Amino acid sequence: MGAVSTLPPSHTHPAPGAVEDGPRKQRGPSFRPVVDLDSGAVVAVEVVSPVPEGLGLPDGSGRTAVLVAEWLASLVRAGFGAESLLPLVLPLPSSVLVDGADLAALVESGLRRAGRRPRDVTLMFTPDLVELPRATVLAGVANLRALGFRCGFGTAMARPDLVVEATPFLIRLDPALVKGVDSDQRHGGIVEGLARIGRSSGVYAMAAGVSRAEEIVRLRECGVRLGSGAFFTEHTWKPGEKITPVPEPAATSLDDTDSGPRVTEFMVPPLDFDAESTGEHVMEAFTGDTALNSVVLIDHRERPIGVIDRTRFLLSVTGRYGHALHAKRPALRLSESPRTVPAWMSAIAALRVAGQDRERVYDDLIVTNPYGQCMGIVHVSDLIQSLSRQ
């Protein structure tokens, strides 16, 4: 109960970016696309809704946590007919972390009944996160992550050291920072610094309130890959509807040979394992599919951390004492660093990436989305065959 006393008397916040019609008026959720600022693709759907009155006032009994879980499930059900299978970003009242109940389990149960798995959901803490005790935030993020949820900090006001220690999946750059980022050097410096802190910790920065093409160009220069705001859509947008295209990169930054098909046109589904998988698991995969070139090892955020080449792996495991040495141990020991390419890259540029290492020519490239997650595999041989026919 000591943590509760640190909260101000009134602690009800709308979801970040939400606009309320009045102080007491409630409305149904709306939807906002989260856009890859490089390719213009919609990579997630944010559900925007004011936090109902009372959910920001936990009393330590656990009742608020139950109500929050029910509310989140209702947001998912309300958009069940409109939203696609894209990942969801849902608002989470930060103050509920002090309620003393098993929030993570309650939310997981509610969202699964509503048809969503934890790995498909990012819970975006409301800006009052900065008012909570550090230990409460770290424990809350850890508990939610343990069940598969991704967490986002809904404000750039969170202390940098807290961002580094908690390593949320996303951190939202406030609209006040994004507005005028192309013309205000102070804003540009802050945004670039926050994006750099995020990249060093595996945290993705998302710009909120993007309203002009010039802001997108500057945000790219600052290293921000994700954005949302009025530039892309009207407030009545529904998933599946078109959005405003992002401005093309400057022509001077592209080589003429970078035209042509994107690397995603050659992508095939990956076979991936978590980092704890053993050599025996990988052996079964290779023996079960003779056409399989490689296996990707991913971390808890589905980012590639290693790739296991078929030939090199079989030479290690089938050699003398190989099975005894590697079968029951983590396959990561036999992996190589993955060679990744972003989904927006052209096929010819990806081919250059495959051959830029003088000591190692890669057979497979891993295609990643703006979150750095594994989307698929591209066989270099397919790129060569296709491009040689052009």
Side-chain angles (χ1 to χ4, degrees):
M1 293 296 290
V4 177
S5 63
T6 65
L7 300 177
S10 178
H11 208 67
T12 301
H13 291 262
V19 177
E20 294 186 87
D21 298 329
R24 300 294 180 185
K25 189 174 182 179
Q26 300 295 328
R27 58 179 173 82
S30 58
F31 303 95
R32 177 185 296 155
V34 177
V35 180
D36 176 357
L37 298 183
D38 286 323
S39 69
V42 178
V43 296
V45 175
E46 183 172 13
V47 182
V48 181
S49 178
V51 177
E53 183 180 0
L55 289 192
L57 297 171
D59 59 8
S61 67
R63 174 61 177 165
T64 301
V66 173
L67 294 176
V68 166
E70 293 174 353
W71 175 59
L72 293 177
S74 73
L75 293 182
V76 173
R77 286 192 294 268
F80 192 83
E83 59 88 13
S84 67
L85 296 179
L86 287 168
L88 290 180
V89 180
L90 298 177
L92 181 69
S94 298
S95 57
V96 75
L97 294 179
V98 304
D99 199 40
D102 192 354
L103 174 68
L106 291 169
V107 173
E108 180 199 27
S109 177
L111 294 188
R112 283 192 182 278
R113 289 197 303 270
R116 279 289 180 167
R117 301 172 301 174
R119 64 183 294 181
D120 298 330
V121 175
T122 298
L123 297 171
M124 186 69 76
F125 292 107
T126 49
D128 51 306
L129 174 83
V130 299
E131 302 167 7
L132 299 181
R134 181 190 191 90
T136 299
V137 175
L138 294 176
V141 170
N143 291 338
L144 289 164
R145 182 181 294 149
L147 291 184
F149 290 106
R150 301 186 178 103
C151 296
F153 287 1
T155 176
M157 296 300 294
R159 290 172 47 180
D161 59 326
L162 178 61
V163 173
V164 171
E165 188 171 355
T167 58
F169 187 63
L170 289 175
I171 183 168
R172 185 195 302 272
L173 303 182
D174 301 327
L177 279 177
V178 175
K179 184 177 181 180
V181 68
D182 57 308
S183 57
D184 191 322
Q185 291 185 354
R186 296 170 301 174
H187 285 202
I190 294 172
V191 169
E192 190 169 1
L194 290 170
R196 187 180 299 115
I197 291 171
R199 284 196 305 272
S200 66
S201 306
V203 180
Y204 300 97
M206 183 178 75
V210 178
S211 60
R212 296 182 297 112
E214 293 81 4
E215 292 170 351
I216 294 177
V217 173
R218 180 61 179 129
L219 287 167
R220 286 171 177 162
E221 294 173 352
C222 292
V224 178
R225 295 288 303 277
L226 301 171
S228 65
F231 173 86
F232 303 105
T233 64
E234 299 291 338
H235 69 279
T236 56
W237 179 84
K238 293 291 188 297
E241 296 178 353
K242 293 183 178 180
I243 65 170
T244 304
V246 300
E248 291 288 338
T252 55
S253 66
L254 293 176
D255 190 285
D256 290 339
T257 58
D258 284 337
S259 60
R262 295 296 181 189
V263 69
T264 48
E265 295 187 24
F266 304 90
M267 188 173 67
V268 297
L271 181 62
D272 51 46
F273 289 92
D274 59 47
E276 288 72 38
S277 297
T278 65
E280 196 168 44
H281 294 140
V282 175
M283 172 66 85
E284 292 174 357
F286 281 134
T287 55
D289 184 355
T290 57
L292 185 64
N293 286 346
S294 61
V295 165
V296 182
L297 300 177
I298 58 175
D299 65 10
H300 69 283
R301 298 188 180 198
E302 299 177 38
R303 299 174 302 186
I305 57 174
V307 62
I308 298 179
D309 177 81
R310 179 190 189 92
T311 301
R312 290 175 175 79
F313 176 81
L314 293 180
L315 285 174
S316 297
V317 175
T318 59
R320 190 176 185 183
Y321 306 121
H323 189 275
L325 287 172
H326 304 299
K328 300 299 183 181
R329 296 184 179 181
L332 188 61
R333 299 166 62 251
L334 298 176
S335 70
E336 302 173 279
S337 298
R339 181 55 57 92
T340 63
V341 293
W344 51 263
M345 183 174 280
S346 68
I348 188 65
L351 192 58
R352 289 198 295 267
V353 169
Q356 69 184 16
D357 190 337
R358 295 182 179 180
E359 298 180 359
R360 170 80 164 91
V361 177
Y362 285 76
D363 299 321
D364 288 340
L365 298 173
I366 302 173
V367 182
T368 58
N369 66 14
Y371 294 145
Q373 298 167 310
C374 178
M375 293 177 61
I377 292 289
V378 169
H379 303 312
V380 174
S381 59
D382 291 345
L383 295 180
I384 296 172
Q385 291 175 11
S386 175
L387 296 174
S388 66
R389 293 194 294 265
Q390 296 184 7

